[in-house]
Amino acid sequence: MDNVACKIQLPRKEQETSVVAGKGTALSLARGALSSRPVQVSGLLLILLIVSSLFAPVVSPHDPIQMNPPDRLKPPGRSYLLGTDEYGRDVLSRILWGARISLAVGAAAVALAAVGGVFLGVLAGYYGGMIESLIMRLMDVALCFPPILLGIAVVGFAGKSLLNLVIVLGFLFIPRFARVIYSSVQSVKQNQYVEASRASGGTHVYIMLHHILPNIFAIIIIQVTLNFGFMILLEAGLSFLGLGTQPPTPSWGTMIASARDYMEIAPFLVVWPSLAVAITVLAFNLLGDGLRDALDPRLIQ
Amino acid sequence: MITVLLMLGVASVVFFVIYLIPGDVANIIAGERATPEQVAHVRQALGMDRPLYVQYLDWLSKVIRGDLGKSLISGRPVMKDLILQLPRTLELMVSAILLAVVVGIPAGILASVRRSRVEDRVVSTLGLLGLSLPSFVIGTLLALVLGVYLRWLPISGFMPFDEDPVHHLKLLFMPSLALGLSMAGVVMRMTRSTMLGVLGEDYIRTARAKGLSERAVHYRHALRNALVPVVSIIGVQAGTLLGGTVIIEFIFNWPGLSSLLIRAIYQRDAPLVQGVILLISGAFILINLVVDLLNCRLDPRIRYG
């Protein structure tokens, strides 16, 4: 999470110090976003999720990896709130620890995708010409691959490690960011303050950092939120196929995969991690939708 | 023209990604205990001792002629395996898309016509839910409810259509539903929002003022214009669906392209992996071309050079 937080903080500070008018609008935008019901509900859900995964070592009632064969496949009850899995491990604890993996992988991958995508998108949108054609045609090619497919191929060949997973997911999503950022930069650079800054001797780098970035900040946040949910889906999907997080590390995808073998005797085993994935992704989608309605300047008009 | 260039770009990426990734194919074929000479021999036999650009051009010229090489494991032409398994994946995709269109478009129209009422709320909520539930979760839950609890349908497997059509369709039902539901959510949301946009336009007011029935206004005037973005999103989704089939085929033991891909990856069968990815990505580009052409027909204002 730290990565994303840093990334998000940076442009906002610049906005508050350099663009005088930006301060008030940023605050009112934030207030507008916070007053929408979907944003409140999903935000609360996500805060709960983040806090409980951060404190997983404290709040989870059992060790998520320690096997306990006498207690295997217990139904939900008092000592095991959500029951136990085929090795007698507490499902609730595993879901809480699994949340850490999902969120950490999602955050790292989104950070990579956002940094790469914003960099390429701003370059292409700002400079235009050859740089634009080169970058955007490359992105077009990259967009031709269904993400999960390339993910499977690369992780399958390069080795199943969390780091590989993060790198693959991050790179796969760079074009999505680049596309959106590119088109918004194109419209932002039409503004007269860009021209004014240029006329008063502002360098390209200065303009990009102080005028372009702060003005596409809202769009970056929306993209980060929407794609975060996607990342969690992909991580779960790849882990489900055995190509993501490796056992015994608890992960929602692997939990669903192994629970499928016990569907007949312990149907709940498959329901809990499925619910965890579904609720988390739903929360990210709701938050993204809500933020877009509240923040996107194209919709505000 | 752009399509051809895209295909070329995609093919190049497929080639280089597989070759740049660590894990030497020759080592794997020669076996773990092979001497360096044996590995070198395998490398030579596969033509892997040539410079990279020679290998690349050789590979590319063969691909253009439809020769995707031979599987490193079974020795059979990759093309043959693809042609055998492709129809099964297509069948799954087509039925999922049909389901998404048949459910998603009417639901979206209903939600837009009855905006902010109960129907709209119910449909919109279900749509967002469908969007957020990953297909493998839907698939697993479907198998749990329909297969394990109610025992209405077999949980997984495949039966060729000509051997037992009824059983074939029974097996097809759950995977298509799992794939189609999340897409239906997307189609529904898109139909709803574009219909709402179109219904606010002046010509709709004119049509109403002419005394046309609500029905004629909605279907003859609004829907046609609202469908353009919907068709686009169906195209985009069809591409995503291609990726989604990987997991769904895995869950339901459906022997399509994905089972081929996963097996090939575990066996590190590079030509087979390249073949499958190339085919799927190529299909993705083609689908987008078809979508563009369809949109030209739906909206005469759209022209492509």
Side-chain angles (χ1 to χ4, degrees), chain A:
Chain A
M1 287 309 295
D2 292 345
N3 273 340
V4 169
C6 292
K7 166 108 215 46
I8 290 168
Q9 289 298 322
L10 196 71
R12 171 171 280 174
K13 266 182 198 148
E14 283 166 7
Q15 188 172 32
E16 282 170 2
T17 48
S18 68
V19 186
V20 185
K23 196 173 180 181
T25 46
L27 272 178
S28 70
L29 281 180
R31 205 169 291 138
L34 284 178
S35 65
S36 102
R37 183 55 58 82
V39 172
Q40 289 168 353
V41 173
S42 53
L44 210 65
L45 256 174
L46 289 176
I47 290 173
L48 200 70
L49 189 77
I50 292 167
V51 169
S52 61
S53 72
L54 279 180
F55 290 102
V58 186
V59 289
S60 64
H62 297 271
D63 186 310
I65 298 172
Q66 182 66 47
M67 299 186 188
N68 188 14
D71 279 349
R72 66 194 298 265
L73 298 175
K74 281 267 167 70
R78 279 183 56 191
S79 51
Y80 299 105
L81 222 51
L82 301 181
T84 59
D85 70 1
E86 69 274 24
Y87 298 114
R89 297 174 295 199
D90 178 42
V91 172
L92 177 63
S93 309
R94 286 178 68 73
I95 286 191
L96 287 173
W97 282 82
R100 292 188 128 194
I101 300 285
S102 283
L103 291 174
V105 169
V110 164
L112 181 62
V115 171
V118 169
F119 179 72
L120 291 176
V122 168
L123 279 188
Y126 184 78
Y127 284 111
M130 273 294 286
I131 296 178
E132 175 195 331
S133 321
L134 189 70
I135 293 178
M136 293 324 286
R137 292 300 80 74
L138 258 176
M139 296 298 113
D140 283 346
V141 170
L143 277 171
C144 289
F145 297 98
I148 192 149
L149 200 68
L150 218 57
I152 290 172
V154 175
V155 175
F157 269 80
K160 306 159 202 162
S161 75
L162 270 184
L163 184 68
N164 281 341
L165 188 67
V166 167
I167 294 175
V168 168
L169 290 179
F171 269 99
L172 285 176
F173 276 70
I174 285 180
R176 291 166 187 251
F177 274 90
R179 270 266 182 103
V180 177
I181 299 301
Y182 161 74
S183 59
S184 31
V185 168
Q186 274 195 320
S187 64
V188 168
K189 81 167 175 185
Q190 305 293 333
N191 284 319
Q192 283 186 335
Y193 54 76
V194 172
E195 206 178 317
S197 176
R198 189 87 201 105
S200 57
T203 60
H204 289 307
V205 175
Y206 178 87
I207 293 175
M208 278 188 264
L209 286 179
H210 290 257
H211 297 299
I212 307 279
L213 262 188
N215 281 296
I216 55 170
F217 176 63
I219 290 161
I220 298 177
I221 298 261
I222 295 163
Q223 286 302 310
V224 164
T225 319
L226 287 174
N227 284 307
F228 211 120
F230 238 124
M231 290 291 186
I232 287 177
L233 271 188
L234 278 176
E235 187 273 332
L238 285 171
S239 299
F240 180 85
L241 290 175
L243 291 167
T245 315
Q246 294 301 306
T249 311
S251 144
W252 295 343
T254 44
M255 286 174 77
I256 298 175
S258 56
R260 286 177 56 238
D261 297 337
Y262 301 92
M263 261 188 334
E264 309 241 356
I265 32 179
F268 276 112
L269 212 49
V270 78
V271 172
W272 302 126
S274 303
L275 272 179
V277 176
I279 291 175
T280 309
V281 177
L282 185 69
F284 273 111
N285 280 344
L286 270 176
L287 186 66
D289 273 6
L291 286 179
R292 182 170 53 200
D293 292 346
L295 294 182
D296 197 329
R298 284 169 296 187
L299 290 174
I300 285 173
Q301 306 164 4

Side-chain angles (χ1 to χ4, degrees), chain B residues 33-147:
Chain B
R33 271 179 247 157
T35 59
E37 292 82 52
Q38 284 172 311
V39 174
H41 187 71
V42 171
R43 195 179 287 270
Q44 202 173 11
L46 291 171
M48 283 168 57
D49 51 345
R50 296 171 298 168
L52 189 61
Y53 75 92
V54 176
Q55 290 187 51
Y56 169 65
L57 289 179
D58 182 47
W59 180 80
L60 196 64
S61 71
K62 278 188 182 152
V63 166
I64 290 170
R65 280 177 272 141
D67 175 8
L68 291 171
K70 286 191 177 124
S71 159
L72 294 180
I73 308 295
S74 68
R76 283 192 300 169
V78 169
M79 205 61 171
K80 219 171 189 171
D81 277 352
L82 291 184
I83 289 172
L84 177 72
Q85 314 249 48
L86 175 68
R88 301 180 187 153
T89 296
L90 278 184
E91 183 187 6
L92 211 55
M93 278 184 60
V94 169
S95 48
I97 293 175
L98 277 181
L99 188 104
V101 168
V102 168
V103 173
I105 293 186
I109 296 174
L110 179 72
S112 66
V113 173
R114 313 279 301 170
R115 185 183 187 179
S116 303
R117 297 193 206 178
V118 186
E119 292 95 325
D120 184 22
R121 295 262 158 76
V122 171
V123 168
S124 298
T125 312
L126 285 179
L128 193 65
L129 210 62
L131 198 72
S132 303
L133 281 171
S135 58
F136 66 95
V137 167
I138 298 183
T140 309
L141 295 180
L142 276 178
L144 183 67
V145 174
L146 296 181

